[in-house]
Amino acid sequence: MSADRPSRTAHHGNRHGRSEQARRAVLEAADDLLAERGFAGVTIEGIAARAGVAKQTIYRWWSSKVDVLIEAFVDDMAQHLTPPDEGDLESELRTHLRRSARFLTRSDPGAVFRALAGQAQHDPEMAERFRTECLGPQRALDRRPLERAIERGELPPDTDVDFALDQLVGPLYYRVLVTGHPVPEEFTDALVERFLAPFRTRRAAEPRA
Amino acid sequence: MSADRPSRTAHHGNRHGRSEQARRAVLEAADDLLAERGFAGVTIEGIAARAGVAKQTIYRWWSSKVDVLIEAFVDDMAQHLTPPDEGDLESELRTHLRRSARFLTRSDPGAVFRALAGQAQHDPEMAERFRTECLGPQRALDRRPLERAIERGELPPDTDVDFALDQLVGPLYYRVLVTGHPVPEEFTDALVERFLAPFRTRRAAEPRA
Amino acid sequence: MSADRPSRTAHHGNRHGRSEQARRAVLEAADDLLAERGFAGVTIEGIAARAGVAKQTIYRWWSSKVDVLIEAFVDDMAQHLTPPDEGDLESELRTHLRRSARFLTRSDPGAVFRALAGQAQHDPEMAERFRTECLGPQRALDRRPLERAIERGELPPDTDVDFALDQLVGPLYYRVLVTGHPVPEEFTDALVERFLAPFRTRRAAEPRA
Amino acid sequence: MSADRPSRTAHHGNRHGRSEQARRAVLEAADDLLAERGFAGVTIEGIAARAGVAKQTIYRWWSSKVDVLIEAFVDDMAQHLTPPDEGDLESELRTHLRRSARFLTRSDPGAVFRALAGQAQHDPEMAERFRTECLGPQRALDRRPLERAIERGELPPDTDVDFALDQLVGPLYYRVLVTGHPVPEEFTDALVERFLAPFRTRRAAEPRA
DNA sequence: GCCTAATCGAGACGGTACGTCCCGTCTTCGG
DNA sequence: CCGAAGACGGGACGTACCGTCTCGATTAGGC
């Protein structure tokens, strides 16, 4: 993340740009507070106090605590959810779904994600941002294995990738966000198996035809 | 919900229990506020003011605004989501999933559900209650068509009903709560189709064997 | 006090009059609360809880917590502040002022008196009751030694008793209620001395004339 | 009181201290409410609303409504109760006692004083503050005529000034706070006369010796 | 090497809602 | 009819944060 931003030295205010130090302190403080005290325990005042930053500095660069958390999440997301490229659909899907489940249920950024997804239910404008900045990139990564499989001919070229994704990750998110059931590897593996079955059946059947 | 409570005449409180009038006013006010102003616009003070009720009366019977919304939701849920009993699995599932989608995306109680599901991400204790009181009964209803199909022999007796449900409704909730995509009938029908396909294939294949 | 009321047997409500048991429990509870927690710690709810009495029972017989305290005070006052009748003004005044000082500064009913006097500053109607029911009788007792002295010829018949009282007890109340200074016997004795001096001087001078 | 504070320009708060505008608005609102609705009508919420100030701003600088009233009173006191310096004890005392009586019974700050004196009966900590901040300065002013008289030789050098004050103002406060009797000039003049009599008698007698 | 302007920390400000306490009224039912 | 019990509509409490504002100190580029 800091890679795509010009490096900024620590300073106490000047006319030429914001303090990177303050920015990082704010994002970390927000992450920490979320982990320690939950979403309700994240407040602008709390972030400011923990980050050693003035409230005004937060309001200058972010519009709300949700905005801070989105930025904090985006910083972490890409690192965790890039699916592997192994040349085999089943294997890639198994790995990716296992990782996704682990990310969502166990990791700190996963907790941030759940909190943001929760807040999105309360605030349509925020939901829009959440979908654009958090879900969009993630879903783009999710598509990759399927697109590569289509290119390789493992899946038919007319495959509805979006529908496929909904079938593959939908039950996963459902467990994480709705039922709260655990998401063991058996579960994600079974989703992959169920998803791939028709294609295997077809292929097995076709030679006979 | 009102069915399991003895009818109570209007009164201003006495030793024999609470005022049903106040209870209903509170639930309605909460529902209305959620519909009009969103979750953040639902406050205990706002509910009290709109319901013409003292704050203390709310705190006496509910522990938080979420508690009020849960009760309001439970009152509405059963009426909307009882799946039909038509003797045909495919038909029942299509109808039930269509209704569920409509309920979640279009109705006022659906909005309450989404808000509660959102809040559940922020508050583990509340999530527990949400799952017990809202999801449990709903999921019990969801199971019915599948269980009847097993009894009728439409599905094999060893069918994993929970896994089946996750596949059927998971993608639906995923769209509603996460991606925010619309949930047209084509989508739910396709989920049913995808779910039933293996069983049809098997049955179609068996006679040949 | 209970002497001027018909004896009432303990009961839990009947059509034959109020419960003396409840009345006494309320008065005692109010006294105790005042002693333990101060005036602000005396609440109708607190009295009711401690006395094992319903709030309504208090409101049925008293108009406010102040009303309860007034009744509690009146019960106690007369016992403590009846001045002695010794046939000697100086002696009677010394004793009475010493007792009054002790009563006001040390005793539990004195604490009630101070609280009531305080509340009288905030509430003109209550002040009226306070003066009629608490101060009136007390001041009538205070007058007695002076009136007897006039009858005996120790004081001139045109003595302004009210003014005399203001001089005698005014500084005492001033210390108790305003400055909070202690009121030792030297102080009250000096007040008596200062009050009687002119009469002694005159008598001493007259024979010479 | 405003004399010992640097003048502050109007502002909405900054690191350099509080808003003088808010402070004055609060004190005036408290005074007004006391005059209009009595002590019970003075509430923090009421003061805040009338002063156009946030409750938190009051709690930031004062600990209670009583604290506000004390500050409001102190602001007013010195202006009203500085005794005259005329070089004649009797005259100064007459004037000062008349003014004091008028202040206590008729003026708005006098009403504040009575309310504070009342509250002091309910709250020992507050009583301490009341005595230090309100009574102390006032009593220091009260002493002045007597001290000057001692310097001038009008009173003997061993005069007990405190006892003298108790005799002079005690009955006055007694009437104001306890009996509620009016305090006409005849009354205060008589107190002065009674107080000075022994000294005149003595001086008149001495030349003969 | 100043000047100047954006940014920093700090924190007071007017507000909203919180959850609690107590008010005084009411409604019941048992004795 | 009185009593205990306790729910009710209300008002104020004192607290936590909100988002805005003003301030003096800090700091780097332009003059």
Side-chain angles (χ1 to χ4, degrees):
Chain A
M1 151 131 269
S2 49
D4 63 342
R5 279 189 177 78
S7 90
R8 285 178 282 262
T9 58
H11 56 86
H12 280 240
N14 64 47
R15 61 190 302 186
H16 305 292
R18 65 194 287 193
S19 158
E20 174 68 9
Q21 185 177 313
R23 178 182 161 272
R24 301 191 67 83
V26 166
L27 297 182
E28 276 177 32
D31 260 351
D32 292 352
L33 284 172
L34 188 77
E36 288 174 20
R37 303 196 218 169
F39 186 77
V42 181
T43 65
I44 297 286
E45 299 221 323
I47 295 171
R50 177 184 277 246
V53 143
K55 278 166 66 181
Q56 188 56 50
T57 299
I58 300 181
Y59 283 110
R60 204 180 339 258
W61 303 109
W62 293 277
S63 64
S64 66
K65 73 173 183 177
V66 169
D67 208 33
V68 176
L69 288 171
I70 287 180
E71 184 166 337
F73 176 72
V74 169
D75 271 18
D76 291 334
M77 179 182 56
Q79 307 168 8
H80 292 77
L81 288 181
T82 302
D85 184 352
E86 302 166 341
D88 175 65
L89 179 58
E90 179 172 355
S91 167
E92 288 179 20
L93 285 179
R94 281 177 189 269
T95 305
H96 184 53
L97 256 63
R98 289 177 178 190
R99 278 193 201 159
S100 293
R102 182 162 198 86
F103 175 78
L104 288 173
T105 56
R106 300 264 209 291
S107 70
D108 278 359
V112 176
F113 176 88
R114 297 197 308 273
L116 292 173
Q119 189 59 19
Q121 310 308 318
H122 301 154
D123 179 351
E125 278 190 47
M126 178 269 165
E128 189 52 38
R129 291 206 50 202
F130 171 64
R131 281 159 191 154
T132 304
E133 301 187 25
C134 300
L135 281 179
Q138 184 172 330
R139 198 163 164 97
L141 293 174
D142 290 343
R143 300 175 67 93
R144 301 284 291 278
L146 296 169
E147 290 168 342
R148 284 195 298 256
I150 292 170
E151 284 172 22
R152 285 193 305 261
E154 278 188 88
L155 290 178
D158 64 343
T159 305
D160 182 339
V161 177
D162 278 315
F163 184 55
L165 273 184
D166 288 345
Q167 286 175 273
L168 282 164
V169 304
L172 195 166
Y173 282 89
Y174 175 62
R175 287 206 157 188
V176 171
L177 299 179
V178 184
T179 66
H181 289 156
V183 190
E185 301 192 342
E186 292 76 19
F187 181 77
T188 52
D189 288 354
L191 286 174
V192 173
E193 172 57 30
R194 250 308 202 141
F195 171 73
L196 293 178
F199 303 103
R200 276 204 280 271
T201 304
R202 222 167 289 167
R203 260 188 265 159
E206 277 159 7
R208 294 180 197 164
Chain B
M1 151 136 268
S2 48
D4 63 344
R5 280 191 175 76
S7 89
R8 283 180 282 261
T9 58
H11 57 84
H12 287 137
N14 58 47
R15 70 185 305 184
H16 305 292
R18 60 196 290 193
S19 160
E20 174 68 9
Q21 187 176 314
R23 178 181 160 269
R24 302 190 68 82
V26 166
L27 297 182
E28 277 177 32
D31 260 351
D32 293 352
L33 284 172
L34 188 78
E36 288 175 21
R37 304 195 216 169
F39 186 77
V42 182
T43 65
I44 298 285
E45 299 221 321
I47 295 170
R50 177 184 276 247
V53 143
K55 278 165 68 178
Q56 188 57 51
T57 298
I58 301 182
Y59 284 110
R60 206 183 334 261
W61 301 110
W62 294 277
S63 64
S64 66
K65 70 173 184 177
V66 168
D67 208 33
V68 177
L69 288 171
I70 286 179
E71 184 166 337
F73 176 72
V74 169
D75 269 17
D76 290 335
M77 181 182 54
Q79 308 168 7
H80 292 77
L81 289 182
T82 301
D85 184 352
E86 301 166 341
D88 175 65
L89 179 58
E90 179 172 355
S91 168
E92 288 177 21
L93 286 179
R94 282 178 189 267
T95 304
H96 184 53
L97 258 63
R98 287 178 179 190
R99 278 193 202 158
S100 294
R102 181 161 199 88
F103 175 77
L104 289 173
T105 55
R106 300 264 210 288
S107 70
D108 277 359
V112 176
F113 177 89
R114 296 197 308 274
L116 292 173
Q119 189 59 19
Q121 311 308 317
H122 301 153
D123 178 351
E125 277 190 47
M126 178 268 163
E128 189 50 40
R129 291 208 49 201
F130 172 63
R131 280 158 191 155
T132 304
E133 301 187 25
C134 300
L135 281 179
Q138 184 171 330
R139 199 164 164 98
L141 293 175
D142 291 343
R143 299 174 67 95
R144 301 286 290 280
L146 297 168
E147 290 168 342
R148 285 195 297 254
I150 292 171
E151 285 172 22
R152 287 193 303 260
E154 278 187 87
L155 291 177
D158 64 343
T159 305
D160 183 338
V161 176
D162 279 315
F163 184 53
L165 273 185
D166 288 344
Q167 284 175 276
L168 281 164
V169 304
L172 196 165
Y173 283 89
Y174 175 61
R175 286 207 158 190
V176 170
L177 297 179
V178 185
T179 66
H181 288 156
V183 190
E185 302 193 341
E186 292 78 18
F187 181 77
T188 52
D189 288 354
L191 286 174
V192 173
E193 171 58 29
R194 236 337 189 123
F195 171 73
L196 292 178
F199 303 104
R200 276 204 279 269
T201 304
R202 222 168 288 167
R203 258 189 267 162
E206 278 159 8
R208 295 178 198 166
Chain C
M1 153 131 266
S2 49
D4 62 343
R5 278 188 177 80
S7 88
R8 284 178 282 262
T9 58
H11 55 87
H12 278 241
N14 63 42
R15 58 197 309 183
H16 307 293
R18 69 190 286 194
S19 158
E20 173 68 9
Q21 184 177 315
R23 178 181 160 271
R24 301 190 67 83
V26 166
L27 297 183
E28 275 177 33
D31 259 351
D32 292 353
L33 284 172
L34 188 78
E36 288 176 20
R37 303 195 218 170
F39 185 78
V42 181
T43 65
I44 298 285
E45 300 221 322
I47 295 171
R50 178 184 276 246
V53 143
K55 279 165 65 181
Q56 187 56 50
T57 300
I58 301 181
Y59 283 109
R60 200 174 344 252
W61 302 109
W62 294 275
S63 65
S64 66
K65 71 173 183 177
V66 168
D67 207 34
V68 176
L69 288 171
I70 287 180
E71 183 166 337
F73 176 73
V74 169
D75 270 18
D76 290 334
M77 179 182 55
Q79 308 168 7
H80 292 78
L81 288 181
T82 302
D85 184 354
E86 302 166 341
D88 174 65
L89 179 59
E90 179 171 354
S91 168
E92 288 178 19
L93 285 179
R94 281 179 189 267
T95 304
H96 185 52
L97 257 65
R98 287 177 179 191
R99 278 193 201 156
S100 295
R102 184 162 197 87
F103 176 77
L104 289 172
T105 56
R106 301 264 210 289
S107 70
D108 277 0
V112 176
F113 177 88
R114 297 198 307 273
L116 292 172
Q119 189 59 19
Q121 310 308 318
H122 301 153
D123 179 351
E125 278 190 47
M126 177 269 165
E128 189 51 39
R129 292 206 51 201
F130 172 64
R131 280 160 192 154
T132 304
E133 301 187 26
C134 300
L135 280 180
Q138 184 172 331
R139 198 164 164 98
L141 293 175
D142 291 343
R143 299 174 68 94
R144 301 285 290 279
L146 296 169
E147 289 168 344
R148 286 193 296 254
I150 291 170
E151 285 171 22
R152 286 191 305 260
E154 278 190 89
L155 290 178
D158 63 343
T159 304
D160 182 339
V161 177
D162 280 315
F163 184 55
L165 273 185
D166 289 344
Q167 285 175 276
L168 281 165
V169 303
L172 196 165
Y173 283 89
Y174 175 63
R175 285 207 158 188
V176 170
L177 298 178
V178 184
T179 65
H181 288 156
V183 190
E185 302 192 342
E186 292 78 18
F187 181 76
T188 52
D189 288 354
L191 287 174
V192 174
E193 172 58 29
R194 248 307 201 146
F195 171 73
L196 294 178
F199 303 103
R200 276 203 280 270
T201 304
R202 223 167 287 166
R203 259 189 266 160
E206 278 161 6
R208 293 180 200 165
Chain D
M1 153 133 265
S2 49
D4 63 343
R5 280 191 176 76
S7 89
R8 284 181 281 261
T9 58
H11 57 84
H12 288 136
N14 58 46
R15 71 185 306 182
H16 305 293
R18 61 197 290 193
S19 159
E20 175 67 10
Q21 187 176 314
R23 178 182 160 268
R24 302 190 68 83
V26 166
L27 297 182
E28 278 178 30
D31 261 350
D32 292 353
L33 284 172
L34 188 78
E36 287 174 21
R37 305 195 216 169
F39 186 76
V42 181
T43 65
I44 298 284
E45 298 221 322
I47 295 172
R50 177 183 276 246
V53 143
K55 276 166 69 179
Q56 189 57 53
T57 297
I58 300 181
Y59 284 110
R60 209 185 329 264
W61 302 110
W62 293 278
S63 63
S64 65
K65 71 173 183 177
V66 168
D67 208 32
V68 176
L69 288 172
I70 286 180
E71 184 166 336
F73 176 72
V74 169
D75 270 17
D76 291 335
M77 180 183 54
Q79 307 168 8
H80 292 77
L81 287 181
T82 302
D85 183 352
E86 300 166 340
D88 175 65
L89 179 59
E90 178 172 356
S91 167
E92 288 179 19
L93 286 179
R94 282 179 188 267
T95 304
H96 184 52
L97 257 64
R98 289 178 177 189
R99 277 193 202 158
S100 294
R102 181 162 200 88
F103 175 78
L104 289 173
T105 55
R106 299 264 209 291
S107 70
D108 279 359
V112 175
F113 177 89
R114 296 196 308 274
L116 292 173
Q119 189 60 18
Q121 310 309 318
H122 301 153
D123 178 352
E125 278 191 45
M126 178 269 165
E128 188 53 37
R129 291 208 50 203
F130 172 64
R131 281 158 191 154
T132 305
E133 301 187 27
C134 300
L135 282 179
Q138 185 172 328
R139 199 164 163 96
L141 293 176
D142 291 343
R143 300 174 66 94
R144 301 284 292 279
L146 297 168
E147 290 168 342
R148 285 195 297 254
I150 291 170
E151 285 173 22
R152 285 193 304 261
E154 278 188 87
L155 290 177
D158 63 343
T159 305
D160 183 339
V161 177
D162 280 314
F163 184 55
L165 272 184
D166 289 343
Q167 286 175 274
L168 280 164
V169 304
L172 196 166
Y173 283 90
Y174 175 62
R175 288 208 156 189
V176 170
L177 298 179
V178 184
T179 66
H181 290 156
V183 190
E185 301 193 341
E186 291 77 19
F187 181 76
T188 54
D189 287 355
L191 286 174
V192 173
E193 172 56 29
R194 250 307 201 144
F195 171 73
L196 292 178
F199 303 104
R200 276 204 280 272
T201 303
R202 219 167 290 166
R203 257 188 265 159
E206 278 160 7
R208 295 180 198 164

